[in-house]
Amino acid sequence: MKVVGFAHSWAGLYTPAKASDGSAGITLALHKLNGITQVTDTHVEVLAGTSFAQLFQELHAMNLTLAWPPGGIQGLTVGGAVSVGFHGSQMSVGGVSSVVQGLRLLDTSGNAHDLDDSSQPQAMRAARMALGMCGILTRVQLPVTPEFHLRRRRWRVDDMDAFLDQQLPQLKQQYDRFHW
């Protein structure tokens, strides 16, 4: 059995599943398993088939946004992004898997396992970016923050080494959310 999300990856991860005897396996698409199941002022719990575009739209209606910006590929499913370690666009934070606060996995017997860092840190480490090897990811808990707006500025840099050594550290210190 194999779960597929947005199928953004060009790797063999998206190839149809095969059973151990070589016959056709089961390929699951979770895009209909979508939406927010719980939201607080610090986190959102979302079903794994929810696209980032849908999640941002629903959070916007609550004046919230993700504390971890996923970058420009809004069609990715949250579960797929977590499972493959999607990297996003922020320099000071790791991939989306690194900010997951909790998740629910279904094992091969269909049993649900709710994991978080405080009660099962080793299981959480294994489930993060597990490529489906630990079970089917059905829910993900991510940090949220009040909605904010970014201002975009462009400038030309003639000396990249000087920019990286001098200007970039100053910009990162001056602005809480500096993307380049």
Side-chain angles (χ1 to χ4, degrees):
M1 183 179 302
K2 185 181 282 190
V3 176
V4 296
F6 183 64
H8 175 71
S9 175
W10 50 265
L13 295 173
Y14 184 64
T15 57
K18 290 196 182 236
S20 57
D21 64 3
S23 63
I26 299 169
T27 302
L28 296 174
L30 300 180
H31 64 281
K32 291 189 178 187
L33 182 66
N34 64 70
I36 292 174
T37 58
Q38 180 185 21
V39 66
T40 70
D41 58 344
T42 61
H43 76 273
V44 62
E45 184 180 83
V46 61
L47 296 171
T50 308
S51 70
F52 281 107
Q54 178 187 351
L55 178 56
F56 278 119
Q57 188 175 35
E58 291 183 27
L59 288 173
H60 173 69
M62 296 179 256
N63 294 317
L64 294 170
T65 191
L66 289 180
W68 180 90
I73 307 173
Q74 299 297 302
L76 292 177
T77 62
V78 173
V82 170
S83 294
V84 301
F86 179 64
H87 51 79
S89 63
Q90 204 170 21
M91 295 179 350
S92 61
V93 178
V96 67
S97 302
S98 69
V99 297
V100 170
Q101 298 173 327
L103 50 84
R104 175 174 284 172
L105 286 171
L106 292 181
D107 65 21
T108 55
S109 299
N111 298 314
H113 300 273
D114 292 320
L115 307 176
D116 62 58
D117 281 324
S118 61
S119 64
Q120 296 154 315
Q122 290 189 356
M124 272 294 285
R125 278 195 296 276
R128 284 188 172 109
M129 206 174 93
L131 303 173
M133 301 302 290
C134 291
I136 298 172
L137 187 61
T138 60
R139 292 185 186 195
V140 178
Q141 194 177 87
L142 296 168
V144 294
T145 187
E147 196 169 40
F148 58 91
H149 299 280
L150 297 176
R151 182 177 43 175
R152 181 172 148 178
R153 291 177 39 194
R154 290 184 178 194
W155 64 92
R156 182 184 169 109
V157 176
D158 293 321
D159 183 352
M160 188 58 137
D161 290 332
F163 172 76
L164 292 173
D165 292 340
Q166 299 165 12
Q167 291 176 312
L168 183 60
Q170 290 173 357
L171 289 167
K172 286 171 56 180
Q173 191 173 43
Q174 183 180 0
Y175 298 103
D176 183 42
R177 297 175 189 267
F178 179 77
H179 304 274
W180 70 290

